[in-house]
Amino acid sequence: MSVEQAPVQRADFDQVMVPNYSPAAFIPVRGEGSRVWDQSGRELIDFAGGIAVNALGHCHPALVKALTEQANILWHVSNVFTNEPALRLAHKLVDATFAERAFFCNSGAESNEAAFKLARRVAHDRFGPEKHEIIATVNSFHGRTLFTVSVGGQPKYSDGFGPKITGISHVPYNDLEALKAQISDKTCAVVIEPIQGESGVVPADKAYLEGARKLCDEYNALLIFDEVQTGVGRTGSLYAYQHYGVTPDILTSAKSLGGGFPIGAMLTTTDLAKHLAVGTHGTTYGGNPLACAVACAVLDVVNTPETLAGIKAKHERFKSRLEKIGQQSGLFTQVRGVGLLIGCVLSDAWKGKAKDILNAAEKEGVMVLQAGPDVVRFAPSLVVEDADIDEGLARFERAVAKLTQG
Ligand SMILES: *Cc1c(COP(=O)(O)O)cnc(C)c1O
């Protein structure tokens, strides 16, 4: 029997995989739009979106076309050469944002790694080695490399791996006074998620981001927005910085950028980009033609007035029904978030039980996410059909009813 025909089951995970994940009991095998089927043929509605990745749902025809066309042309050449899809993607991103330059990599963590290295390099070149401190926020998430867990504000992800990267401090999110107290001439960068995703879907206050921008300018520090989760239409604007009207110096993007194909990008200005001169940074796969061809197709669909307006309309559809479910069941105290990144904050009685709610939802045939133990998160396809929203939320409501009525 060939390898691809060998039957595999969830139990195999525990035998052959490193146990750093605890995947669901079922294995998804096929997806189309906002529907997924498991090995037994059971159909589920997907409001998890691969953790804010499947921006156009599963197997969107425009993405399948871009990927298969590129697969028949050229897969990989390395950065010893440039390639057409990478240049096209860079043009699209530069045209659509504040940025003048793009660096491509393969994940959110790598895009942040590049951003942090660039910020330190700029400060080193312009001001000397003293100016290397990075200010991040408590509970922030920036990826799982050693640098990005060190910058991230959740010690549970950085403890126990030996010495951390130093020169990093953490201040409470949405607290401008705390940032003001911490920032100094030694600060090279302030990094903020415009909406804290992993730690509970917490949107920044506009005044906080405006204040951070001002402080960074005062102290010659760079403002980095980690838009790995909020980028590529998630908020109803192409990037959340546009929603807030506050422009960073460096922006990182991944997740939805590839719609399910791995890619990351760091965007910045020409003036800053020049500090990453030839040989200072790199990645073998970054800017891979397959990834860039798919990302171009993602942007072509997402960055249109119709899609972006649709995201805002779908937000309302989710929010009003979720608020009703929350009130009737006593499960949520608040439904927050922007666009199609929505968090339902659990009431005191349900605090810590987000995972139980995920499991109950899955039993009713709808996939949702958690964002920490106290928030149920929705990050569906940006083009999820209204009929799928209604059916998925009906299933979710049944799951909640079963849970709350015992
Ligand atoms: C998911 C995420 C990352 C990490 O992205 P990976 O692709 O998993 O490396 C970084 N920052 C934010 C805000 C994220 O949501």
Side-chain angles (χ1 to χ4, degrees):
M1 194 181 274
S2 79
V3 171
E4 52 201 54
Q5 288 168 331
V8 285
Q9 287 147 12
R10 171 61 181 80
D12 289 288
F13 182 93
D14 301 324
Q15 315 243 302
V16 295
M17 300 287 275
V18 169
N20 60 316
Y21 303 116
S22 163
F26 68 100
I27 301 183
V29 293
R30 187 166 69 83
E32 189 185 328
S34 286
R35 309 249 169 174
V36 165
W37 289 265
D38 74 4
Q39 285 182 312
S40 71
R42 189 170 70 115
E43 172 257 359
L44 297 105
I45 291 181
D46 184 4
F47 288 157
I51 318 189
V53 165
N54 299 319
L56 300 177
H58 297 274
C59 299
H60 189 284
L63 304 197
V64 172
K65 181 167 179 284
L67 181 61
T68 50
E69 279 183 6
Q70 188 59 42
N72 283 301
I73 299 173
L74 185 71
W75 285 33
H76 180 78
V77 290
S78 89
N79 288 301
V80 174
F81 311 93
T82 189
N83 68 76
E84 292 180 347
L87 296 174
R88 286 192 196 107
L89 179 60
H91 269 300
K92 281 182 200 296
L93 289 167
V94 164
D95 288 348
T97 68
F98 76 96
E100 299 159 327
R101 300 285 172 148
F103 168 81
F104 295 125
C105 47
N106 314 292
S107 68
E110 278 180 66
S111 62
N112 284 323
E113 185 86 17
F116 303 154
K117 283 181 72 178
L118 172 60
R120 283 202 165 166
R121 192 80 178 193
V122 168
H124 186 277
D125 291 351
R126 289 183 177 172
F127 302 97
E130 278 286 284
K131 191 174 179 74
H132 67 268
E133 292 181 3
I134 295 173
I135 303 177
T137 63
V138 173
N139 288 332
S140 62
F141 184 78
H142 300 297
R144 298 294 200 114
T145 65
L146 189 59
F147 200 169
T148 54
V149 290
S150 299
V151 173
Q154 301 184 63
K156 67 176 186 224
Y157 294 140
S158 55
D159 288 346
F161 294 100
K164 300 178 192 183
I165 309 259
T166 55
I168 297 161
S169 60
H170 298 94
V171 295
Y173 189 72
N174 262 337
D175 183 342
L176 192 57
E177 289 309 310
L179 179 58
K180 199 178 275 176
Q182 185 64 33
I183 198 166
S184 77
D185 288 329
K186 288 187 181 172
T187 306
C188 76
V190 173
V191 54
I192 298 175
E193 294 166 85
I195 301 170
Q196 281 193 332
E198 292 306 303
S199 62
V201 189
V202 186
D205 300 329
K206 187 170 156 68
Y208 175 61
L209 297 183
E210 288 169 345
R213 175 70 276 176
K214 242 177 107 208
L215 284 172
C216 283
D217 291 341
E218 249 169 74
Y219 286 90
N220 290 313
L222 300 178
L223 181 61
I224 302 172
F225 281 173
D226 178 346
E227 293 228 31
V228 170
Q229 191 151 160
T230 56
V232 193
R234 188 57 50 191
T235 63
S237 302
L238 185 63
Y239 283 97
Y241 87 87
Q242 295 160 323
H243 166 80
Y244 280 101
V246 177
T247 303
D249 301 294
I250 304 173
L251 181 152
T252 57
S253 187
K255 291 203 165 104
S256 290
L257 182 58
F261 201 96
I263 184 169
M266 177 193 69
L267 305 179
T268 189
T269 62
T270 305
D271 222 32
L272 297 174
K274 68 172 187 245
H275 292 268
L276 286 187
V278 174
T280 51
H281 191 57
T283 150
T284 297
Y285 272 124
N288 170 282
L290 291 169
C292 291
V294 174
C296 280
V298 170
L299 287 177
D300 285 346
V301 177
V302 171
N303 195 22
T304 61
E306 306 78 66
T307 304
L308 295 176
I311 293 161
K312 290 175 184 146
K314 291 174 200 307
H315 171 92
E316 291 309 321
R317 204 175 185 93
F318 267 98
K319 187 171 163 133
S320 57
R321 180 91 179 256
L322 285 171
E323 277 174 345
K324 214 173 284 164
I325 293 171
Q327 278 155 15
Q328 282 164 1
S329 65
L331 206 66
F332 318 135
T333 55
Q334 192 196 357
V335 177
R336 67 190 175 199
V338 184
L340 288 174
L341 183 56
I342 296 169
C344 300
V345 184
L346 297 177
S347 60
D348 282 342
W350 291 89
K351 270 214 161 51
K353 294 188 175 149
K355 189 72 197 261
D356 297 339
I357 296 159
L358 259 60
N359 291 339
E362 182 250 298
K363 286 206 184 77
E364 291 298 319
V366 56
M367 293 150 73
V368 301
L369 295 166
Q370 60 187 113
D374 304 331
V375 174
V376 176
R377 175 173 40 159
F378 293 76
S381 159
L382 304 180
V383 293
V384 55
E385 303 276 347
D386 286 347
D388 286 340
I389 298 177
D390 295 345
E391 172 61 20
L393 289 180
R395 294 180 189 184
F396 185 71
E397 188 166 3
R398 281 202 292 278
V400 168
K402 278 193 184 163
L403 256 188
T404 52
Q405 289 155 24

